[in-house]
Amino acid sequence: TNFTYTDAVKTPEVQVTNITLKYISNGENVSGMPVDVSISSDAPEYQKYIRLNSRPTKANSEFLGWSLTKYGEVDYSVGSTIYLNKSLTLYAVWAQKSYTIYYNVNAGWRDNVEFEQVTQTKKYGETIKLTTNVPKRDGYTFTGWAKSSVGSVEYLPGANFSENPSQETIILYAVWVSNEIKITYNANGKQFSDGTTEFSETKSYGGSYTIASPKTSESAMFKYWSTDSFDWSGAKRYYPGDTYYGNDEITLYAIWNTSVEVTGYRSAGS
């Protein structure tokens, strides 16, 4: 028979318990919650280091991190590591989803646009008023804001905005209408066939325009249009069919061939 002898002084027994890490969603309709952790108190030390990598989601809310209390501030952010030497309960911390509104002046970089740039923030379910700042652009009139760079006006300055889109960034684009440039044609001391001495047409700012033919005259033959009534040196001349690209309003004066007496002007090919 074999006998085992022990020391007279016994070593105290170490009580082995389970250490738990419990996660509380702190809300309804939460997905992606991490699984609770349970380890033995005598587990190797490396097993007690827990990395908080999970990022649960909740409708219309933003996950901020974990708190040691139900309504507390964030104690552990995503990616933090905790040493689990005792049981803990972590509560998810949520913030109401918010949106950032940006304003895009929606103009070419060469254009002269004045606008006091602002950004606005709104929370989910909240209604805010859009900025009353109005951009200014040479040759154009601002008509409102659209949700795409080629869209029509959906919001006016200062309008209520209550949309809650899926994306967190909202861009509103300025909508512009080209101003009209007036081109005036002057009979230059004579009359056109309808008895008038002047007529006007318009072109869009930044666009091209085809120079018009004159109306018939009873006293002289038309030669061309000039930016000066006396057609002095330095004046710019335009012929019917020429293209005008300028963005300044101009008056063109008819220059007549007074050495030829005719009853009317007949255009080429007529």
Side-chain angles (χ1 to χ4, degrees), residues 187-188 190 192 214-215 217 220-223 254-258:
N188 201 12
K190 302 185 183 300
F192 296 119
K215 300 177 181 180
S217 169
M221 178 173 285
F222 174 81
K223 294 173 65 177
I255 303 301
W256 307 99
N257 185 353
T258 55

Side-chain angles (χ1 to χ4, degrees), residues 183-193 196-201 209-217 221-232 234-244 250-257 265:
I183 313 296
T184 301
Y185 296 92
N186 188 289
N188 201 12
K190 302 185 183 300
Q191 289 185 337
F192 296 119
S193 59
T196 63
T197 60
E198 198 171 82
F199 68 94
S200 298
E201 295 184 356
Y209 169 79
T210 301
I211 298 297
S213 296
K215 300 177 181 180
T216 57
S217 169
M221 178 173 285
F222 174 81
K223 294 173 65 177
Y224 48 79
W225 300 104
S226 174
T227 54
D228 183 84
S229 61
F230 294 101
D231 195 29
W232 294 118
K236 189 168 181 59
R237 296 174 178 177
Y238 293 92
Y239 294 86
D242 284 353
T243 302
Y244 176 65
I250 61 171
T251 297
L252 297 179
Y253 297 90
I255 303 301
W256 307 99
N257 185 353
Y265 167 76

